[in-house]
């Protein structure tokens, strides 16, 4: 169960994922997600960008 005041939304297409994270610990959760994604991206050899087109 999510902690009170925490909210995460996402939208995915075939070529993009948009993730919105809110709450008192949002920055910590964003940093954890970025670190996990960086490892996965490196392992898979994917090309990424932080900004939408």
């Amino acid at each position: 169960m999510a902690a009170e005041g925490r909210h995460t939304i996402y939208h995915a297409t075939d070529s993009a994922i948009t993730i919105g994270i809110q709450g008192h610990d949002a920055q910590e959760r964003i940093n954890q997600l970025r670190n996990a994604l960086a490892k996965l991206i490196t392992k898979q050899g994917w090309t990424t960008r932080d900004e939408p087109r």
Side-chain angles (χ1 to χ4, degrees), residues 6 9 15 17 21 24-25 29-30 34-35 42 49 52-53:
R6 293 174 73 181
I9 59 170
S15 61
I17 301 170
I21 299 175
H24 68 280
D25 61 345
R29 294 166 56 213
I30 291 167
R34 285 183 185 272
N35 289 336
T42 299
R49 64 185 182 294
R53 288 184 193 191

Side-chain angles (χ1 to χ4, degrees), residues 4-23:
E4 186 175 329
R6 293 174 73 181
H7 186 71
T8 303
I9 59 170
Y10 73 93
H11 175 76
T13 67
D14 288 341
S15 61
I17 301 170
T18 302
I19 302 170
I21 299 175
Q22 298 175 331

Side-chain angles (χ1 to χ4, degrees), residues 15-16 37-38 40-50 53:
S15 61
L37 286 173
L40 183 60
I41 289 163
T42 299
K43 181 179 178 181
Q44 297 298 324
W46 294 337
T47 302
T48 64
R49 64 185 182 294
D50 286 335
R53 288 184 193 191

